[in-house]
Amino acid sequence: MNTCVSYRLLRPLLFRLPAETSHHLTFSALRLLYRIPGAGALTRIVFAHRPTSLPVSVMGLNFPNPVGLAAGLDKNAEYIQPLSDLGFGFLELGTVTPRPQPGNPKPRLFRLSQQAALINRMGFNNVGLSQLLVNLAREARPCPIGINIGKNRDTPVERAVEDYCAALRDAYPHADYIAVNISSPNTTGLRDLQNEENLEALLRTLKAEQAALAEKHGRYVPIALKIAPDLDDTQITAIARLVLEHKFDAVIATNTTITRPHLANDPLAHQSGGLSGRPLKSLSTEIIRKLYSHLQGNVPIIGVGGIENADDAWNKLVAGADLVQIYTALIYEGPCVVQAIVRNLAERVRVSGCATLAEAVAQARRQNSG
């Protein structure tokens, strides 16, 4: 039976369980599966065939394709090989904090199935950076790996920079890039770091730390800033100016939203937390478009939020993204979604007559602006 059809048959059973329980059950089963000799090779045969190569170069890194896993699914570096075997071009681990923390009380993850959405208030539950790095050291590195870092819940906002610098120092030798998460709605006060004065101090300090680490380790590891979708034009302008001024390596747009677009009648819409999935799609794309109007390609953008298929990914790319990430679509569409997006993006490149994805996207942007 086709694997994608199998997942669609299995999904109603998984969705009868609480969302977080289903998540842990699925990935525990996956971990057990990978203890069987040959399971990884079989997974690659089923999922990771790439009929057309779709390499991209962003942040000085080479990616086999532009479709990555967003932070939040593999918080502790426990499923790198199985996830990469689905065909992802890169994986972003975390969010991880300097010290372990349990996160918010359960329940803290909710499915809004009619909207193909999730609401989460996980609260950076993770095993801590030291254990994540132990886990990571056990794994092969089949694709570029990003480590998404955050501050601990009990660290005051005015001392947040200490947590970010500590995490950056520890993660730096082990990551292909570092993502600085200042936009989760589930850690009190975290989004205050997006305010211009706080952000200026944070970026300045992190870039100085990055320069020292690059000299110490003899390699340059890019840093990306992950921002919220709930920003006004003044905030977007300020963020763009600061990432340009401090020569940040990328912006990840966007995190989850605290708004509830198109969810007025959903019984779960009142749950607090960040909304991801289909309702976030247009909001995140608009943030990317506005951000790109300021950055003009001088700072790469990683687009995330509501991507369910290749059309959604293409729209993010044309709006200004250089790479894209998915998370919620993996829950609703299943493991075949990665391969499907890559394959259909490659077909768009072929039809365009361009040699690379970057050329095809640039052509589409010119056509749109004209």
Side-chain angles (χ1 to χ4, degrees):
M1 184 183 293
N2 181 282
T3 307
C4 301
V5 173
S6 298
Y7 180 78
R8 284 196 289 271
L9 294 174
L10 181 62
R11 187 177 66 182
L13 299 177
L14 292 172
F15 278 26
R16 291 175 70 90
L17 299 171
E20 193 169 351
T21 302
S22 176
H23 171 88
H24 287 302
L25 179 65
T26 301
F27 280 92
S28 295
L30 192 60
R31 186 156 37 191
L32 287 172
L33 175 66
Y34 264 67
R35 292 178 181 170
I36 301 172
L42 180 61
T43 304
R44 287 188 289 277
I45 290 170
V46 173
F47 294 110
H49 280 175
R50 301 184 183 100
T52 304
S53 181
L54 199 60
V56 289
S57 180
V58 181
M59 301 183 289
L61 301 172
N62 296 318
F63 299 85
N65 70 66
V67 182
L69 176 73
L73 192 70
D74 191 1
K75 292 176 176 291
N76 300 317
E78 296 174 309
Y79 311 108
I80 291 173
Q81 191 63 58
L83 288 167
S84 67
D85 285 345
L86 299 184
F88 281 109
F90 62 106
L91 304 175
E92 190 169 305
L93 310 176
T95 297
V96 63
T97 52
R99 291 172 283 110
Q101 60 183 34
N104 291 322
K106 299 178 182 179
R108 55 192 180 182
L109 182 64
F110 307 90
R111 298 188 205 91
L112 292 74
S113 298
Q114 293 300 312
Q115 290 79 25
L118 297 172
I119 291 174
N120 94 80
R121 51 172 181 265
M122 304 298 287
F124 288 172
N125 57 305
N126 72 101
V127 297
L129 186 52
S130 294
Q131 185 59 51
L132 179 143
L133 295 177
V134 169
N135 296 346
L136 182 57
R138 298 190 188 115
E139 299 285 338
R141 302 293 287 267
C143 63
I145 299 292
I147 298 180
N148 184 302
I149 59 174
K151 82 170 189 69
N152 277 105
R153 184 184 189 92
D154 58 0
T155 300
V157 171
E158 57 270 20
R159 297 185 58 184
V161 67
E162 297 173 22
D163 272 15
Y164 285 105
C165 284
L168 178 62
R169 283 192 294 269
D170 288 346
Y172 192 95
H174 309 281
D176 293 299
Y177 73 91
I178 307 287
V180 179
N181 187 347
I182 59 170
S183 50
S184 169
N186 302 315
T187 297
T188 303
L190 188 72
R191 287 188 169 191
D192 292 345
L193 294 171
Q194 295 176 122
N195 296 341
E196 189 169 355
E197 183 178 350
N198 291 337
L199 185 59
E200 201 283 331
L202 178 65
L203 299 193
R204 182 180 65 248
T205 306
L206 287 174
K207 285 300 291 187
E209 191 69 46
Q210 180 193 37
L213 289 165
E215 185 172 350
K216 176 182 177 180
H217 295 285
R219 63 187 286 258
Y220 182 86
V221 177
I223 310 178
L225 183 71
K226 187 163 187 176
I227 65 171
D230 310 312
L231 300 168
D232 61 31
D233 290 354
T234 300
Q235 291 172 305
I236 294 169
T237 300
I239 288 170
R241 179 181 63 78
L242 288 170
V243 297
L244 285 166
E245 181 180 317
H246 291 284
K247 297 182 171 58
F248 242 63
D249 299 291
V251 180
I252 303 174
T254 64
N255 213 315
T256 57
T257 179
I258 57 173
T259 66
R260 297 293 183 260
H262 318 300
L263 295 181
N265 298 319
D266 194 289
L268 290 174
H270 71 281
Q271 293 288 348
S272 63
L275 173 72
S276 65
R278 188 179 298 160
L280 178 58
K281 186 180 305 185
S282 59
L283 181 58
S284 64
T285 302
E286 186 60 23
I287 294 290
I288 292 167
R289 185 174 291 109
K290 290 177 178 178
L291 194 59
Y292 183 78
S293 72
H294 296 288
L295 300 178
Q296 290 295 312
N298 292 304
V299 176
I301 298 170
I302 301 174
V304 55
I307 295 172
E308 300 177 84
N309 52 49
D311 288 343
D312 297 335
W314 180 255
N315 289 338
K316 290 265 195 297
L317 293 167
V318 175
D322 300 271
L323 299 167
V324 295
Q325 293 177 326
I326 66 171
Y327 175 168
T328 306
L330 198 61
I331 308 302
Y332 284 97
E333 299 298 321
C336 293
V337 69
V338 186
Q339 181 188 7
I341 293 173
V342 175
R343 183 176 61 245
N344 287 307
L345 285 176
E347 178 62 14
R348 279 183 177 269
V349 175
R350 188 193 68 79
V351 170
S352 75
C354 296
T356 66
L357 177 66
E359 291 176 10
V361 170
Q363 181 186 86
R365 288 174 184 166
R366 288 193 298 271
Q367 291 169 348
N368 282 6
S369 64

